[in-house]
Amino acid sequence: MNRFEYIVVSIDGDYANLRRTDMETEELKLVARALLPPEIAEGTRLLYEWMQYSIME
């Protein structure tokens, strides 16, 4: 299964803008906050694998 690392760049209402950190890209991914852990904030590092997001330590 694919594994991706992201950082929360900004939070805008019910959505968060994520940027991949495991590869070079300036593109942001818009994700509904309902799919993310509730305790996220700007700067939170996330791991996406097995079709779910979790906070990286």
Side-chain angles (χ1 to χ4, degrees):
M1 195 72 189
N2 291 333
R3 175 184 161 114
F4 305 108
E5 296 178 13
Y6 293 95
I7 189 165
V8 179
V9 175
S10 64
I11 297 173
D12 185 20
D14 291 336
Y15 295 90
N17 287 299
L18 309 180
R19 176 175 290 126
R20 277 193 64 184
T21 59
D22 58 339
M23 64 177 271
E24 290 292 322
T25 182
E26 291 299 315
E27 189 174 321
L28 296 178
K29 179 177 184 175
L30 187 64
V31 178
R33 288 189 63 192
L35 300 174
L36 302 172
E39 57 273 1
I40 65 161
E42 290 181 7
T44 301
R45 294 179 56 214
L46 298 171
L47 176 65
Y48 178 80
E49 67 180 339
W50 297 107
M51 297 177 33
Q52 68 180 15
Y53 292 91
S54 59
I55 294 177
M56 294 176 64
E57 298 294 323

